[in-house]
Amino acid sequence: VEGPFQGEFGTWFVYKHDAAEVLTYRASLLVAALSVASGAALASFPSLLSTPPPPAWSFDVCAGLFLASFGVSLSTIHIYMKPLHDMLKVLWTSGVVGALAVIAADPSHSLVLSTVQHPVQLLGSGWVFVALTGLFFKEFACFQRWEASALFALVPIITGGHFLGLLDSGAEGAMLDALALVFSFFAVRKFSQPLKADIGDKTVFEFLAQREAEAEAEAAAQQN
């Protein structure tokens, strides 16, 4: 599809499967962003339009779409440091398991409503937001885009502020709206980057994979 590119340990190309993975990563980020934006819009409707509050399940649909699409993002993101990548996946998995536990244990069986009313529930589902913060840190470290740095700050401020009871409803709502707007802008802008930007240097990935395989082979030989 694209190339050749000069890498640290040789030349490399972008093939069709690489392009498909990058587009899946970007599309899943967009779905995650739109899910957050939809939830923020639903929360704003009663005050803006003087309408009754939306049903609790509508927020949970947005949350479910966010969790699923963000999981796809983590499975298709390219990170040189495999332990870091694995840690983000573990955090996401812990958050999903915690979210399911909240839904099962709460009388309303609503993840979002329960978490809004009982911030301590973030001890279950909040690990997903730790992983999301990690993704934004990776994006800023790689591309130095202002929206990634803003999201890196907004996510822990909103979740931590809610958990500790430091934010009133007005400030929390305003920051959630800002998060939704910046996240959506971030996700749309990802499509303007060249494909190779989200792939990284494939020769580095190949080198690291080879070193890992050699280390595993050496460990197995020592055990025998």
Side-chain angles (χ1 to χ4, degrees), residues 124-172:
S125 61
W127 304 108
V128 169
F129 300 110
V130 179
L132 184 64
T133 303
L135 182 145
F136 291 140
F137 174 79
K138 178 266 178 190
E139 286 286 335
F140 176 72
C142 291
F143 307 116
Q144 290 80 49
R145 291 192 163 182
W146 70 266
E147 60 268 29
S149 64
L151 293 167
F152 174 69
L154 277 171
V155 172
I157 289 174
I158 294 172
T159 54
H162 181 69
F163 178 73
L164 297 173
L166 300 177
L167 300 175
D168 60 37
S169 58
E172 200 168 274

Side-chain angles (χ1 to χ4, degrees), residues 67 90-106 111 114-115 120-128:
L67 290 173
V90 169
L91 289 169
W92 176 85
T93 302
S94 300
V96 171
V97 171
L100 293 174
V102 169
I103 294 171
D106 189 76
L111 172 63
S114 174
T115 305
V120 71
Q121 303 285 28
L122 281 171
L123 289 174
S125 61
W127 304 108
V128 169

Side-chain angles (χ1 to χ4, degrees), residues 11 24 55 76 143 172 193:
T11 57
T24 299
T76 51
F143 307 116
E172 200 168 274
Q193 293 181 272

Side-chain angles (χ1 to χ4, degrees), residues 14-218:
V14 175
Y15 297 112
K16 288 183 178 180
H17 69 274
D18 297 317
E21 192 169 54
V22 169
L23 292 176
T24 299
Y25 170 64
R26 295 176 181 179
S28 62
L29 279 178
L30 181 59
V31 173
L34 293 178
S35 300
V36 172
S38 297
L42 286 171
S44 301
F45 282 165
S47 58
L48 294 177
L49 304 177
S50 299
T51 57
W57 61 261
S58 62
F59 293 101
D60 288 336
V61 169
C62 295
L65 286 172
F66 165 75
L67 290 173
S69 55
F70 180 45
V72 174
S73 300
L74 289 180
S75 68
T76 51
I77 192 174
H78 287 219
I79 299 177
Y80 292 129
M81 298 175 61
K82 188 174 184 296
L84 175 60
H85 194 182
D86 291 340
M87 183 183 71
L88 295 180
K89 292 179 181 179
V90 169
L91 289 169
W92 176 85
T93 302
S94 300
V96 171
V97 171
L100 293 174
V102 169
I103 294 171
D106 189 76
S108 68
H109 299 299
S110 172
L111 172 63
V112 176
L113 180 63
S114 174
T115 305
V116 169
Q117 296 175 342
H118 308 287
V120 71
Q121 303 285 28
L122 281 171
L123 289 174
S125 61
W127 304 108
V128 169
F129 300 110
V130 179
L132 184 64
T133 303
L135 182 145
F136 291 140
F137 174 79
K138 178 266 178 190
E139 286 286 335
F140 176 72
C142 291
F143 307 116
Q144 290 80 49
R145 291 192 163 182
W146 70 266
E147 60 268 29
S149 64
L151 293 167
F152 174 69
L154 277 171
V155 172
I157 289 174
I158 294 172
T159 54
H162 181 69
F163 178 73
L164 297 173
L166 300 177
L167 300 175
D168 60 37
S169 58
E172 200 168 274
M175 295 186 75
L176 180 60
D177 290 339
L179 174 67
L181 288 172
V182 178
F183 194 1
S184 298
F185 176 76
F186 163 83
V188 170
R189 196 178 179 208
K190 287 294 295 178
F191 287 91
S192 67
Q193 293 181 272
L195 293 173
K196 70 182 184 71
D198 279 327
I199 294 173
D201 186 343
K202 288 175 67 175
T203 66
V204 172
F205 284 107
E206 292 168 357
F207 173 75
L208 294 174
Q210 182 179 356
R211 285 186 58 183
E212 183 179 3
E214 291 173 351
E216 291 176 353
E218 183 178 348

